[in-house]
Amino acid sequence: MPNPYRVAVVVGSLRKQAFSLRIGQALAKLAPDALKLEIVTLHDLSFYNQDLEAQAPADWLAFRDKIKSADAVLFVTPEYNRSIPGVLKNAIDVGSRPYGQSAFDKKPAGVVSNSPGAIGAFGANHHLRQCLTFLNMPVLQQPEAYVGGVGDAFNEQGDLVKDSLREFLQKYIDAFAAWVAQQYK
Ligand SMILES: Cc1cc2nc3c(=O)[nH]c(=O)nc-3n(C[C@H](O)[C@H](O)[C@H](O)COP(=O)(O)O)c2cc1C
């Protein structure tokens, strides 16, 4: 049983001041000792192209290794046009191949979607869950995390200043820790 469990936090936005990144960083701070969260950003990940698989680019291999070496994966994603951003879908595609060697296989996962809007990126959350089902990843079901109204949650330095969100993220990451431990029993 790993101690702590290593959690790859895959951030679905490339924006420097992304709310998704800030939420990932806030979760890393709030995480109990049983978890070690490591932020994985997607800036250097090139597009998946099956033609390149025989000599896979170094950035694909590095991403696959990061996921393989994690005990669990936490996706923090914004919503683009009621779905997940292309960079996140590309990361899922890269990590899922070569066929039969998916880095994601059987890893416990969580989904934290977020938006400045009111719906909390529900569409992205569930499009992502559809991929995770196919990837054979057990996903924490409750609490669900549709984080809406994120626009006023952080100050200019990126610190979480919204108490209601801090309380929710604390509950979420505690539940995630307990649930990940259960998956490894
Ligand atoms: C191409 C694009 C599409 C978007 N579509 C949605 C959407 O469907 N739903 C939503 O709530 N916000 C949408 N937004 C607004 C994002 O929620 C907002 O830009 C958010 O800050 C992006 O997340 P980030 O801060 O993690 O980068 C969209 C933004 C962009 C750039």
Side-chain angles (χ1 to χ4, degrees), residues 65-162:
D65 282 349
K66 273 185 200 163
I67 301 298
K68 279 184 185 162
S69 67
D71 302 304
V73 184
L74 192 48
F75 295 91
V76 184
T77 186
E79 179 172 81
Y80 278 8
N81 299 304
R82 296 285 183 255
S83 185
I84 55 174
V87 288
L88 179 55
K89 183 59 167 61
N90 183 56
I92 287 171
D93 297 340
V94 169
S96 71
R97 294 279 154 156
Y99 183 74
Q101 297 172 47
S102 169
F104 295 114
D105 189 47
K106 297 192 183 75
K107 306 256 184 208
V111 177
V112 178
S113 63
N114 68 93
S115 170
I119 308 173
F122 175 90
N125 192 305
H126 283 265
H127 274 190
L128 179 54
R129 283 169 183 269
Q130 180 172 327
C131 297
L132 304 188
T133 300
F134 181 68
L135 292 172
N136 198 25
M137 302 179 87
V139 185
L140 175 65
Q141 303 297 356
Q142 294 289 346
E144 298 167 288
Y146 312 111
V147 179
V150 78
D152 60 357
F154 297 89
N155 66 18
E156 277 186 16
Q157 290 73 47
D159 305 315
L160 179 54
V161 293
K162 197 173 184 177

